Amino acid sequence: METGIENEKKETMQLGVSGLGGWLILIQIGLYLSITMLIIQIIGNDLEALTGETWQLLTSKDSLYYDLLWKPYLLFGSVYNIMNFIFILYILIQFYRKKSMVPRLMIIFYSLSMLIGIVDYVFIQQIAIAKELEDGGSLKDIVRSVLACLIWIPYFLKSERVMNTFIK
């Protein structure tokens, strides 16, 4: 008669590679770094841009730096950062619960990050002062996002570890 532990070992051997190790460690690190960067962005930039002198400087029609698009740009960026923070927290919770929805969530995360990078770049190109001050960082971010999509989306679609780990 087999014990529960022996049955578990047999199931694990039949599944192949599974667990939160391997390349999934890089995914975890990336998610935690993203959360850290979002906290810094929200506290350091977004709150200041929406409540401080920056808002007045960029959105007041009397200002030299005024542009009609500053308000939607600043609001869009702030709302996106907050929603992205919540989304990443949700992904992490599902990640550690090993839910089957995690691969889809990660594909959405990478695709959305690339799409928002493109929208951000288009916004910047429409605001004269922002366009002048743009140092190529937005294009670099888009390239990084495209590369992340090219690497991680196929990984989440094809990886044996992913298929065997996120099964609940």
Side-chain angles (χ1 to χ4, degrees), residues 28-56:
Q28 294 171 72
I29 292 169
L31 289 171
Y32 282 109
L33 286 174
S34 293
I35 281 186
T36 303
M37 296 305 292
L38 282 169
I39 290 170
I40 292 168
Q41 178 71 27
I42 291 166
I43 293 172
N45 296 341
D46 293 346
L47 288 176
E48 167 61 30
L50 295 177
T51 60
E53 292 176 19
T54 305
W55 178 263
Q56 190 65 26

PDB file of all heavy atoms in Angstrom, residues 28-56:
ATOM      1  N   GLN A  28      10.001  36.414 -10.934  1.00  0.00           N
ATOM      2  CA  GLN A  28       9.716  36.914  -9.588  1.00  0.00           C
ATOM      3  C   GLN A  28      10.534  38.158  -9.277  1.00  0.00           C
ATOM      4  O   GLN A  28       9.992  39.156  -8.768  1.00  0.00           O
ATOM      5  CB  GLN A  28      10.008  35.829  -8.551  1.00  0.00           C
ATOM      6  CG  GLN A  28       9.079  34.640  -8.652  1.00  0.00           C
ATOM      7  CD  GLN A  28       9.523  33.501  -7.771  1.00  0.00           C
ATOM      8  OE1 GLN A  28       9.411  33.590  -6.553  1.00  0.00           O
ATOM      9  NE2 GLN A  28      10.027  32.437  -8.371  1.00  0.00           N
ATOM     10  N   ILE A  29      11.804  38.115  -9.585  1.00  0.00           N
ATOM     11  CA  ILE A  29      12.670  39.278  -9.361  1.00  0.00           C
ATOM     12  C   ILE A  29      12.149  40.473 -10.145  1.00  0.00           C
ATOM     13  O   ILE A  29      12.054  41.589  -9.629  1.00  0.00           O
ATOM     14  CB  ILE A  29      14.137  38.960  -9.746  1.00  0.00           C
ATOM     15  CG1 ILE A  29      14.728  37.943  -8.758  1.00  0.00           C
ATOM     16  CG2 ILE A  29      14.987  40.229  -9.787  1.00  0.00           C
ATOM     17  CD1 ILE A  29      16.070  37.349  -9.196  1.00  0.00           C
ATOM     18  N   GLY A  30      11.774  40.247 -11.405  1.00  0.00           N
ATOM     19  CA  GLY A  30      11.250  41.319 -12.243  1.00  0.00           C
ATOM     20  C   GLY A  30       9.971  41.916 -11.684  1.00  0.00           C
ATOM     21  O   GLY A  30       9.788  43.136 -11.705  1.00  0.00           O
ATOM     22  N   LEU A  31       9.085  41.075 -11.168  1.00  0.00           N
ATOM     23  CA  LEU A  31       7.839  41.575 -10.595  1.00  0.00           C
ATOM     24  C   LEU A  31       8.106  42.418  -9.350  1.00  0.00           C
ATOM     25  O   LEU A  31       7.507  43.478  -9.163  1.00  0.00           O
ATOM     26  CB  LEU A  31       6.888  40.421 -10.279  1.00  0.00           C
ATOM     27  CG  LEU A  31       6.276  39.715 -11.499  1.00  0.00           C
ATOM     28  CD1 LEU A  31       5.522  38.463 -11.077  1.00  0.00           C
ATOM     29  CD2 LEU A  31       5.377  40.656 -12.280  1.00  0.00           C
ATOM     30  N   TYR A  32       9.013  41.948  -8.489  1.00  0.00           N
ATOM     31  CA  TYR A  32       9.344  42.719  -7.289  1.00  0.00           C
ATOM     32  C   TYR A  32      10.044  44.033  -7.636  1.00  0.00           C
ATOM     33  O   TYR A  32       9.786  45.065  -7.019  1.00  0.00           O
ATOM     34  CB  TYR A  32      10.184  41.897  -6.306  1.00  0.00           C
ATOM     35  CG  TYR A  32       9.350  40.917  -5.529  1.00  0.00           C
ATOM     36  CD1 TYR A  32       9.444  39.559  -5.757  1.00  0.00           C
ATOM     37  CD2 TYR A  32       8.436  41.356  -4.568  1.00  0.00           C
ATOM     38  CE1 TYR A  32       8.658  38.657  -5.052  1.00  0.00           C
ATOM     39  CE2 TYR A  32       7.651  40.470  -3.857  1.00  0.00           C
ATOM     40  CZ  TYR A  32       7.772  39.112  -4.103  1.00  0.00           C
ATOM     41  OH  TYR A  32       6.986  38.245  -3.400  1.00  0.00           O
ATOM     42  N   LEU A  33      10.916  44.006  -8.629  1.00  0.00           N
ATOM     43  CA  LEU A  33      11.560  45.252  -9.080  1.00  0.00           C
ATOM     44  C   LEU A  33      10.528  46.211  -9.668  1.00  0.00           C
ATOM     45  O   LEU A  33      10.600  47.425  -9.433  1.00  0.00           O
ATOM     46  CB  LEU A  33      12.651  44.958 -10.110  1.00  0.00           C
ATOM     47  CG  LEU A  33      13.949  44.357  -9.570  1.00  0.00           C
ATOM     48  CD1 LEU A  33      14.881  43.979 -10.720  1.00  0.00           C
ATOM     49  CD2 LEU A  33      14.634  45.316  -8.619  1.00  0.00           C
ATOM     50  N   SER A  34       9.566  45.676 -10.402  1.00  0.00           N
ATOM     51  CA  SER A  34       8.509  46.515 -10.974  1.00  0.00           C
ATOM     52  C   SER A  34       7.695  47.183  -9.875  1.00  0.00           C
ATOM     53  O   SER A  34       7.386  48.373  -9.965  1.00  0.00           O
ATOM     54  CB  SER A  34       7.574  45.681 -11.863  1.00  0.00           C
ATOM     55  OG  SER A  34       8.257  45.226 -12.997  1.00  0.00           O
ATOM     56  N   ILE A  35       7.363  46.429  -8.835  1.00  0.00           N
ATOM     57  CA  ILE A  35       6.611  47.002  -7.713  1.00  0.00           C
ATOM     58  C   ILE A  35       7.437  48.101  -7.038  1.00  0.00           C
ATOM     59  O   ILE A  35       6.913  49.172  -6.729  1.00  0.00           O
ATOM     60  CB  ILE A  35       6.207  45.920  -6.702  1.00  0.00           C
ATOM     61  CG1 ILE A  35       5.003  45.170  -7.235  1.00  0.00           C
ATOM     62  CG2 ILE A  35       5.913  46.505  -5.340  1.00  0.00           C
ATOM     63  CD1 ILE A  35       4.406  44.175  -6.300  1.00  0.00           C
ATOM     64  N   THR A  36       8.704  47.841  -6.826  1.00  0.00           N
ATOM     65  CA  THR A  36       9.581  48.832  -6.193  1.00  0.00           C
ATOM     66  C   THR A  36       9.655  50.104  -7.034  1.00  0.00           C
ATOM     67  O   THR A  36       9.510  51.212  -6.514  1.00  0.00           O
ATOM     68  CB  THR A  36      10.994  48.249  -5.983  1.00  0.00           C
ATOM     69  OG1 THR A  36      10.889  47.053  -5.208  1.00  0.00           O
ATOM     70  CG2 THR A  36      11.901  49.240  -5.289  1.00  0.00           C
ATOM     71  N   MET A  37       9.844  49.936  -8.331  1.00  0.00           N
ATOM     72  CA  MET A  37       9.930  51.096  -9.219  1.00  0.00           C
ATOM     73  C   MET A  37       8.608  51.857  -9.263  1.00  0.00           C
ATOM     74  O   MET A  37       8.594  53.091  -9.320  1.00  0.00           O
ATOM     75  CB  MET A  37      10.340  50.667 -10.635  1.00  0.00           C
ATOM     76  CG  MET A  37      11.734  50.068 -10.711  1.00  0.00           C
ATOM     77  SD  MET A  37      13.019  51.132 -10.046  1.00  0.00           S
ATOM     78  CE  MET A  37      13.006  52.437 -11.224  1.00  0.00           C
ATOM     79  N   LEU A  38       7.493  51.151  -9.226  1.00  0.00           N
ATOM     80  CA  LEU A  38       6.190  51.816  -9.231  1.00  0.00           C
ATOM     81  C   LEU A  38       5.957  52.609  -7.953  1.00  0.00           C
ATOM     82  O   LEU A  38       5.410  53.707  -7.999  1.00  0.00           O
ATOM     83  CB  LEU A  38       5.069  50.800  -9.439  1.00  0.00           C
ATOM     84  CG  LEU A  38       4.879  50.342 -10.878  1.00  0.00           C
ATOM     85  CD1 LEU A  38       3.936  49.143 -10.945  1.00  0.00           C
ATOM     86  CD2 LEU A  38       4.376  51.472 -11.753  1.00  0.00           C
ATOM     87  N   ILE A  39       6.377  52.057  -6.825  1.00  0.00           N
ATOM     88  CA  ILE A  39       6.249  52.799  -5.564  1.00  0.00           C
ATOM     89  C   ILE A  39       7.046  54.089  -5.641  1.00  0.00           C
ATOM     90  O   ILE A  39       6.549  55.168  -5.290  1.00  0.00           O
ATOM     91  CB  ILE A  39       6.706  51.938  -4.360  1.00  0.00           C
ATOM     92  CG1 ILE A  39       5.701  50.813  -4.120  1.00  0.00           C
ATOM     93  CG2 ILE A  39       6.867  52.793  -3.104  1.00  0.00           C
ATOM     94  CD1 ILE A  39       6.171  49.765  -3.124  1.00  0.00           C
ATOM     95  N   ILE A  40       8.262  54.001  -6.132  1.00  0.00           N
ATOM     96  CA  ILE A  40       9.113  55.184  -6.285  1.00  0.00           C
ATOM     97  C   ILE A  40       8.457  56.176  -7.249  1.00  0.00           C
ATOM     98  O   ILE A  40       8.405  57.373  -6.985  1.00  0.00           O
ATOM     99  CB  ILE A  40      10.527  54.791  -6.760  1.00  0.00           C
ATOM    100  CG1 ILE A  40      11.247  54.025  -5.652  1.00  0.00           C
ATOM    101  CG2 ILE A  40      11.326  56.013  -7.210  1.00  0.00           C
ATOM    102  CD1 ILE A  40      12.524  53.328  -6.092  1.00  0.00           C
ATOM    103  N   GLN A  41       7.935  55.672  -8.361  1.00  0.00           N
ATOM    104  CA  GLN A  41       7.293  56.527  -9.368  1.00  0.00           C
ATOM    105  C   GLN A  41       6.047  57.210  -8.798  1.00  0.00           C
ATOM    106  O   GLN A  41       5.861  58.418  -8.978  1.00  0.00           O
ATOM    107  CB  GLN A  41       6.912  55.680 -10.590  1.00  0.00           C
ATOM    108  CG  GLN A  41       6.206  56.433 -11.687  1.00  0.00           C
ATOM    109  CD  GLN A  41       7.101  57.387 -12.436  1.00  0.00           C
ATOM    110  OE1 GLN A  41       8.307  57.195 -12.527  1.00  0.00           O
ATOM    111  NE2 GLN A  41       6.521  58.431 -12.988  1.00  0.00           N
ATOM    112  N   ILE A  42       5.216  56.448  -8.118  1.00  0.00           N
ATOM    113  CA  ILE A  42       3.966  57.003  -7.589  1.00  0.00           C
ATOM    114  C   ILE A  42       4.249  58.041  -6.512  1.00  0.00           C
ATOM    115  O   ILE A  42       3.710  59.150  -6.549  1.00  0.00           O
ATOM    116  CB  ILE A  42       3.049  55.881  -7.056  1.00  0.00           C
ATOM    117  CG1 ILE A  42       2.535  55.029  -8.225  1.00  0.00           C
ATOM    118  CG2 ILE A  42       1.883  56.458  -6.252  1.00  0.00           C
ATOM    119  CD1 ILE A  42       1.901  53.712  -7.809  1.00  0.00           C
ATOM    120  N   ILE A  43       5.104  57.685  -5.567  1.00  0.00           N
ATOM    121  CA  ILE A  43       5.396  58.600  -4.457  1.00  0.00           C
ATOM    122  C   ILE A  43       6.274  59.761  -4.915  1.00  0.00           C
ATOM    123  O   ILE A  43       6.014  60.914  -4.591  1.00  0.00           O
ATOM    124  CB  ILE A  43       6.049  57.848  -3.284  1.00  0.00           C
ATOM    125  CG1 ILE A  43       5.038  56.883  -2.665  1.00  0.00           C
ATOM    126  CG2 ILE A  43       6.570  58.824  -2.229  1.00  0.00           C
ATOM    127  CD1 ILE A  43       5.617  55.946  -1.630  1.00  0.00           C
ATOM    128  N   GLY A  44       7.298  59.455  -5.690  1.00  0.00           N
ATOM    129  CA  GLY A  44       8.264  60.482  -6.075  1.00  0.00           C
ATOM    130  C   GLY A  44       7.817  61.408  -7.179  1.00  0.00           C
ATOM    131  O   GLY A  44       8.138  62.594  -7.164  1.00  0.00           O
ATOM    132  N   ASN A  45       7.084  60.899  -8.145  1.00  0.00           N
ATOM    133  CA  ASN A  45       6.745  61.716  -9.318  1.00  0.00           C
ATOM    134  C   ASN A  45       5.257  61.997  -9.457  1.00  0.00           C
ATOM    135  O   ASN A  45       4.859  63.146  -9.641  1.00  0.00           O
ATOM    136  CB  ASN A  45       7.253  61.041 -10.589  1.00  0.00           C
ATOM    137  CG  ASN A  45       8.760  60.943 -10.628  1.00  0.00           C
ATOM    138  OD1 ASN A  45       9.459  61.646  -9.920  1.00  0.00           O
ATOM    139  ND2 ASN A  45       9.269  60.047 -11.446  1.00  0.00           N
ATOM    140  N   ASP A  46       4.449  60.956  -9.411  1.00  0.00           N
ATOM    141  CA  ASP A  46       3.026  61.126  -9.692  1.00  0.00           C
ATOM    142  C   ASP A  46       2.336  62.029  -8.677  1.00  0.00           C
ATOM    143  O   ASP A  46       1.572  62.918  -9.061  1.00  0.00           O
ATOM    144  CB  ASP A  46       2.320  59.775  -9.751  1.00  0.00           C
ATOM    145  CG  ASP A  46       2.777  58.935 -10.947  1.00  0.00           C
ATOM    146  OD1 ASP A  46       3.418  59.494 -11.853  1.00  0.00           O
ATOM    147  OD2 ASP A  46       2.489  57.732 -10.962  1.00  0.00           O
ATOM    148  N   LEU A  47       2.569  61.796  -7.400  1.00  0.00           N
ATOM    149  CA  LEU A  47       1.929  62.635  -6.386  1.00  0.00           C
ATOM    150  C   LEU A  47       2.351  64.090  -6.524  1.00  0.00           C
ATOM    151  O   LEU A  47       1.530  64.993  -6.417  1.00  0.00           O
ATOM    152  CB  LEU A  47       2.231  62.110  -4.976  1.00  0.00           C
ATOM    153  CG  LEU A  47       1.535  60.815  -4.584  1.00  0.00           C
ATOM    154  CD1 LEU A  47       1.988  60.355  -3.207  1.00  0.00           C
ATOM    155  CD2 LEU A  47       0.031  60.953  -4.632  1.00  0.00           C
ATOM    156  N   GLU A  48       3.612  64.302  -6.787  1.00  0.00           N
ATOM    157  CA  GLU A  48       4.119  65.667  -6.971  1.00  0.00           C
ATOM    158  C   GLU A  48       3.506  66.301  -8.216  1.00  0.00           C
ATOM    159  O   GLU A  48       3.095  67.452  -8.198  1.00  0.00           O
ATOM    160  CB  GLU A  48       5.639  65.655  -7.080  1.00  0.00           C
ATOM    161  CG  GLU A  48       6.259  66.948  -7.576  1.00  0.00           C
ATOM    162  CD  GLU A  48       5.982  68.158  -6.690  1.00  0.00           C
ATOM    163  OE1 GLU A  48       5.818  67.986  -5.476  1.00  0.00           O
ATOM    164  OE2 GLU A  48       5.933  69.283  -7.228  1.00  0.00           O
ATOM    165  N   ALA A  49       3.438  65.542  -9.281  1.00  0.00           N
ATOM    166  CA  ALA A  49       2.909  66.092 -10.526  1.00  0.00           C
ATOM    167  C   ALA A  49       1.430  66.437 -10.420  1.00  0.00           C
ATOM    168  O   ALA A  49       0.964  67.370 -11.065  1.00  0.00           O
ATOM    169  CB  ALA A  49       3.128  65.100 -11.666  1.00  0.00           C
ATOM    170  N   LEU A  50       0.701  65.711  -9.601  1.00  0.00           N
ATOM    171  CA  LEU A  50      -0.742  65.948  -9.495  1.00  0.00           C
ATOM    172  C   LEU A  50      -1.124  66.942  -8.409  1.00  0.00           C
ATOM    173  O   LEU A  50      -2.212  67.503  -8.446  1.00  0.00           O
ATOM    174  CB  LEU A  50      -1.476  64.629  -9.243  1.00  0.00           C
ATOM    175  CG  LEU A  50      -1.406  63.603 -10.373  1.00  0.00           C
ATOM    176  CD1 LEU A  50      -2.103  62.328  -9.962  1.00  0.00           C
ATOM    177  CD2 LEU A  50      -1.989  64.153 -11.656  1.00  0.00           C
ATOM    178  N   THR A  51      -0.239  67.149  -7.438  1.00  0.00           N
ATOM    179  CA  THR A  51      -0.620  68.002  -6.314  1.00  0.00           C
ATOM    180  C   THR A  51       0.263  69.228  -6.139  1.00  0.00           C
ATOM    181  O   THR A  51      -0.134  70.175  -5.498  1.00  0.00           O
ATOM    182  CB  THR A  51      -0.589  67.202  -4.991  1.00  0.00           C
ATOM    183  OG1 THR A  51       0.745  66.717  -4.779  1.00  0.00           O
ATOM    184  CG2 THR A  51      -1.561  66.049  -5.026  1.00  0.00           C
ATOM    185  N   GLY A  52       1.431  69.204  -6.679  1.00  0.00           N
ATOM    186  CA  GLY A  52       2.377  70.281  -6.409  1.00  0.00           C
ATOM    187  C   GLY A  52       2.406  71.366  -7.451  1.00  0.00           C
ATOM    188  O   GLY A  52       1.475  71.553  -8.247  1.00  0.00           O
ATOM    189  N   GLU A  53       3.475  72.082  -7.428  1.00  0.00           N
ATOM    190  CA  GLU A  53       3.678  73.190  -8.355  1.00  0.00           C
ATOM    191  C   GLU A  53       3.771  72.706  -9.800  1.00  0.00           C
ATOM    192  O   GLU A  53       3.446  73.452 -10.722  1.00  0.00           O
ATOM    193  CB  GLU A  53       4.962  73.940  -7.985  1.00  0.00           C
ATOM    194  CG  GLU A  53       4.892  74.680  -6.675  1.00  0.00           C
ATOM    195  CD  GLU A  53       6.225  75.332  -6.309  1.00  0.00           C
ATOM    196  OE1 GLU A  53       7.074  75.520  -7.217  1.00  0.00           O
ATOM    197  OE2 GLU A  53       6.407  75.641  -5.127  1.00  0.00           O
ATOM    198  N   THR A  54       4.226  71.492  -9.968  1.00  0.00           N
ATOM    199  CA  THR A  54       4.367  70.953 -11.322  1.00  0.00           C
ATOM    200  C   THR A  54       3.034  70.966 -12.055  1.00  0.00           C
ATOM    201  O   THR A  54       2.956  71.361 -13.222  1.00  0.00           O
ATOM    202  CB  THR A  54       4.929  69.516 -11.277  1.00  0.00           C
ATOM    203  OG1 THR A  54       6.145  69.519 -10.539  1.00  0.00           O
ATOM    204  CG2 THR A  54       5.179  68.972 -12.661  1.00  0.00           C
ATOM    205  N   TRP A  55       1.979  70.532 -11.375  1.00  0.00           N
ATOM    206  CA  TRP A  55       0.647  70.527 -11.985  1.00  0.00           C
ATOM    207  C   TRP A  55       0.252  71.922 -12.443  1.00  0.00           C
ATOM    208  O   TRP A  55      -0.187  72.115 -13.573  1.00  0.00           O
ATOM    209  CB  TRP A  55      -0.365  69.968 -10.990  1.00  0.00           C
ATOM    210  CG  TRP A  55      -1.768  69.954 -11.499  1.00  0.00           C
ATOM    211  CD1 TRP A  55      -2.732  70.890 -11.268  1.00  0.00           C
ATOM    212  CD2 TRP A  55      -2.368  68.972 -12.341  1.00  0.00           C
ATOM    213  NE1 TRP A  55      -3.903  70.550 -11.920  1.00  0.00           N
ATOM    214  CE2 TRP A  55      -3.702  69.370 -12.584  1.00  0.00           C
ATOM    215  CE3 TRP A  55      -1.905  67.799 -12.933  1.00  0.00           C
ATOM    216  CZ2 TRP A  55      -4.577  68.630 -13.368  1.00  0.00           C
ATOM    217  CZ3 TRP A  55      -2.779  67.053 -13.710  1.00  0.00           C
ATOM    218  CH2 TRP A  55      -4.089  67.478 -13.928  1.00  0.00           C
ATOM    219  N   GLN A  56       0.431  72.880 -11.552  1.00  0.00           N
ATOM    220  CA  GLN A  56       0.075  74.270 -11.861  1.00  0.00           C
ATOM    221  C   GLN A  56       0.922  74.792 -13.029  1.00  0.00           C
ATOM    222  O   GLN A  56       0.409  75.459 -13.924  1.00  0.00           O
ATOM    223  CB  GLN A  56       0.264  75.142 -10.619  1.00  0.00           C
ATOM    224  CG  GLN A  56      -0.288  76.530 -10.733  1.00  0.00           C
ATOM    225  CD  GLN A  56      -1.813  76.545 -10.876  1.00  0.00           C
ATOM    226  OE1 GLN A  56      -2.507  75.636 -10.449  1.00  0.00           O
ATOM    227  NE2 GLN A  56      -2.321  77.595 -11.489  1.00  0.00           N
TER     228      GLN A  56
END
